[in-house]
Amino acid sequence: MAFPSRRGRRCGRHGAVSSENGKGNGRDSQLALRELQQQLMRLSPRRRMDALLEGADAQALVRALPPESLYVTIQEVGLEDATELVQLASPGQFRAFVDLGAWKRDKLDSHAVLTWLRAARGGFDDTPEFLRKLHAVDMEVLEYLLHELVAVHDLEENPDVNPQGVTLETPEGRYLVEIKAEGAEMSAVRALVTDLIAENPFEAVRLLEAVRWEVPAELEETAFQFRKARLLDLGFPTLEDAMALFSRVDVPSRRPSSTSTPAALTASQGHVDYLAAAFRGLTEVERQNAEDELAGVANAALVAELADPGDLDAVRRVGEMVRDYLSLGLEHLTGADPSQATEVLRDTPLRRIFQTGFTLTLQLKFRADRLAKSPGAVVDGVLLVLPEEAAALEALRRKRPRRALKVEGAEPVPFRSLREVAASEAVLARAEAQVEVFRGVLGGTPESALEAVARFGVPLETLGVERLFAAVVAMAVLEARPDARPVPLGRTVELGQRLFEGTPQAPRLLDSASVRALSGLEGAVAPEARAELRRMVGVTLMRLLSELGAAWLEDAKWSPVASEVLPMESHPVP
């Protein structure tokens, strides 16, 4: 999915359908090759390699494949075990392997280049084919490789030079080549220099002269520009064009759903793959053009994510992200009706579908950003929301918005359905209300909030928003008014008496505790946030009951760990 369309452009689906009955050996051979490629990619990597090598004309079959597909197979099998595929590849395919596998963004890895050259070398009889592959690589790459792995000494300038290690002298006696690599790399570099001298001594000497004087950074930059142009031909856009993929677009209203979701389209846990549903209804030619279009979107996403096209882990990660955004966009555009997915795909460019899905999550990010920047939302560098909502906001405010899981320590995950988007909208609404709640109970101004937090003697990041609100609720139970401070030492017994009843085995909250807390706090909170205030008070009181109630009813005193839940004056906050 994440490797490119060889056409490098969107092909209109309806135009393709209209010419579906076109004749011609060129079209037939292209379709046959494409079908063969699809059949091969459905095999496991090792079986795919075996199928290529066991063909009647293995070299012709290997060279007929797109280089990026062949690269994937080699990397999945492992380069050490796939050297025969490298040796059968054409010089142009080999150059693509180096473009994909020997760069880390804009930095050339000379050791990786040498590894690919070692894989390309067959037996003695294959030297001419090896040299054809070598010469397909940019001269700047070869010069950079040699600059990193050899030192060229001019014997006319310094006839007494005597470097340690393995050396080679050029036939005319002008240069001494000192090989700086070790082990298998030393043997590979020695063979490489020997082959170049044997092929054309004059050109080899010119190359070594260039290695002495060329600036490595300039060689690398020139090679990078050549590589970037070739990747553009393969379907990888420039960074500027790729970033436009993640543009916000106007999201159209959802279509009214005409049917219920077919059970056959529902995967485990109720997830529907709308992209698969859309492709399922396409004709063969429509599918081929849609796959090209899909590859273009995936390649743009890969570039925009600053990932290397040859990094298969990044390709898989970005491919999954693209699929999630496309499925989300299709769910919205179809009105959550998978049976409409094919029709939407025919009418809407995949790029636009992707942007629709991304915009649905981007709207959540913008809303979360606005909340974090609203007056009084942040005190002492901490956003005034409870932990669950804080985790959700942190995930939504990433460059690519994500959904927080209700599992401590779990990494946020991508959005995959409108149901998950709606759940995050609900969390956002709670967070917005919580900011209003804290704004009210902490005095209504940023200054009063800072003053209230200062009463606890530690930064809010250490205190924690959850414990801060527990203190607010406890003081409201005691005084029936907002008063953010640690529970006074002389009133801890009174607090327990106002909170709990029953037995240690069956502790209960007194009904009056919630009534008294809400009566003291509601007046300070904006009307639109009072429903969330009631929920927060209920959750906080239940937490006090579950963690402290039994111990209080057992001994009529607070347990040693009570201050970890509820700040008290007699237990300074750590």
Side-chain angles (χ1 to χ4, degrees), residues 19-39:
S19 61
E20 189 172 357
N21 294 324
K23 303 296 183 181
N25 291 334
R27 173 179 291 274
D28 293 342
S29 61
Q30 287 180 1
L31 292 176
L33 178 59
R34 184 153 193 161
E35 177 60 28
L36 173 61
Q37 182 182 348
Q38 290 174 346
Q39 291 176 0

Side-chain angles (χ1 to χ4, degrees), residues 184-208:
E185 286 194 342
M186 181 273 293
S187 299
V189 173
R190 181 176 184 176
L192 174 63
V193 175
T194 300
D195 285 343
L196 288 170
I197 293 174
E199 181 192 33
N200 190 326
F202 177 72
E203 290 296 332
V205 169
R206 290 183 60 184
L207 173 63
L208 294 174

Side-chain angles (χ1 to χ4, degrees), residues 149-400:
L149 298 178
V150 305
V152 181
H153 304 280
D154 189 335
L155 295 178
E156 292 184 358
E157 294 178 359
N158 186 4
D160 298 326
V161 65
N162 185 27
Q164 299 295 316
V166 178
T167 59
L168 290 172
E169 187 173 334
T170 55
E172 82 295 349
R174 171 74 184 272
Y175 294 110
L176 186 67
V177 181
E178 176 189 357
I179 300 175
K180 296 187 289 186
E182 298 180 355
E185 286 194 342
M186 181 273 293
S187 299
V189 173
R190 181 176 184 176
L192 174 63
V193 175
T194 300
D195 285 343
L196 288 170
I197 293 174
E199 181 192 33
N200 190 326
F202 177 72
E203 290 296 332
V205 169
R206 290 183 60 184
L207 173 63
L208 294 174
E209 183 71 22
V211 169
R212 291 188 69 210
W213 298 112
E214 293 285 1
V215 179
E218 294 179 358
L219 291 172
E220 187 176 46
E221 176 60 24
T222 302
F224 175 71
Q225 294 302 326
F226 287 143
R227 178 212 187 214
K228 188 165 68 171
R230 286 192 293 270
L231 290 180
L232 190 63
D233 291 339
L234 283 176
F236 294 95
T238 64
L239 180 59
E240 181 180 2
D241 291 340
M243 293 299 293
L245 177 67
F246 288 90
S247 300
R248 183 179 183 180
V249 297
D250 293 331
V251 176
S253 301
R254 292 177 61 180
R255 291 188 181 189
S257 180
S258 58
T259 61
S260 59
T261 301
L265 294 175
T266 304
S268 61
Q269 301 180 351
H271 175 67
V272 179
D273 189 338
Y274 283 83
L275 187 62
F279 269 68
R280 194 175 291 117
L282 297 175
T283 67
E284 184 61 30
V285 175
E286 285 178 321
R287 174 187 288 271
Q288 290 172 1
N289 285 282
E291 286 173 350
D292 283 342
E293 195 177 345
L294 177 59
V297 171
N299 291 337
L302 194 68
V303 173
E305 290 292 284
L306 303 179
D308 286 309
D311 183 348
L312 293 195
D313 289 336
V315 168
R316 295 186 187 98
R317 173 179 56 79
V318 173
E320 291 173 0
M321 177 189 72
V322 168
R323 192 177 190 92
D324 289 337
Y325 281 133
L326 288 171
S327 187
L328 188 60
L330 283 168
E331 183 179 2
H332 178 85
L333 294 172
T334 61
D337 182 357
S339 67
Q340 300 295 314
T342 300
E343 193 61 31
V344 169
L345 184 58
R346 288 190 175 116
D347 294 340
T348 313
L350 270 171
R351 183 183 182 91
R352 186 72 174 193
I353 294 171
F354 176 95
Q355 290 172 328
T356 298
F358 177 67
T359 298
L360 291 172
T361 67
L362 195 62
Q363 290 171 342
L364 298 176
K365 171 181 168 58
F366 289 165
R367 187 174 164 187
D369 287 341
R370 285 195 300 270
L371 176 61
K373 296 173 183 177
S374 62
V378 176
V379 172
D380 225 5
V382 177
L383 191 59
L384 291 176
V385 294
L386 295 178
E388 179 183 344
E389 289 71 23
L393 289 173
E394 188 277 331
L396 288 173
R397 298 187 69 196
R398 294 188 177 192
K399 183 175 73 169
R400 309 292 182 231

Side-chain angles (χ1 to χ4, degrees), residues 340-506:
Q340 300 295 314
T342 300
E343 193 61 31
V344 169
L345 184 58
R346 288 190 175 116
D347 294 340
T348 313
L350 270 171
R351 183 183 182 91
R352 186 72 174 193
I353 294 171
F354 176 95
Q355 290 172 328
T356 298
F358 177 67
T359 298
L360 291 172
T361 67
L362 195 62
Q363 290 171 342
L364 298 176
K365 171 181 168 58
F366 289 165
R367 187 174 164 187
D369 287 341
R370 285 195 300 270
L371 176 61
K373 296 173 183 177
S374 62
V378 176
V379 172
D380 225 5
V382 177
L383 191 59
L384 291 176
V385 294
L386 295 178
E388 179 183 344
E389 289 71 23
L393 289 173
E394 188 277 331
L396 288 173
R397 298 187 69 196
R398 294 188 177 192
K399 183 175 73 169
R400 309 292 182 231
R402 292 201 160 206
R403 177 175 63 92
L405 298 176
K406 294 182 180 180
V407 178
E408 187 175 355
E411 273 294 306
V413 297
F415 288 93
R416 302 183 67 202
S417 69
L418 292 181
R419 176 176 53 81
E420 294 173 352
V421 171
S424 287
E425 287 176 337
V427 175
L428 262 174
R430 290 205 309 268
E432 290 165 343
Q434 287 175 14
V435 168
E436 289 298 324
V437 167
F438 278 104
R439 183 180 286 121
V441 301
L442 296 181
T445 66
E447 294 75 19
S448 63
L450 283 171
E451 183 181 341
V453 171
R455 297 185 193 120
F456 292 86
V458 294
L460 182 53
E461 184 177 6
T462 303
L463 174 63
V465 175
E466 195 170 33
R467 296 172 73 203
L468 171 64
F469 190 71
V472 169
V473 171
M475 292 305 298
V477 169
L478 287 172
E479 299 186 353
R481 65 182 178 87
D483 187 11
R485 66 176 64 249
V487 177
L489 177 61
R491 305 192 68 181
T492 55
V493 173
E494 178 189 355
L495 177 62
Q497 293 170 343
R498 288 185 178 275
L499 285 175
F500 307 126
E501 65 177 354
T503 66
Q505 293 73 31

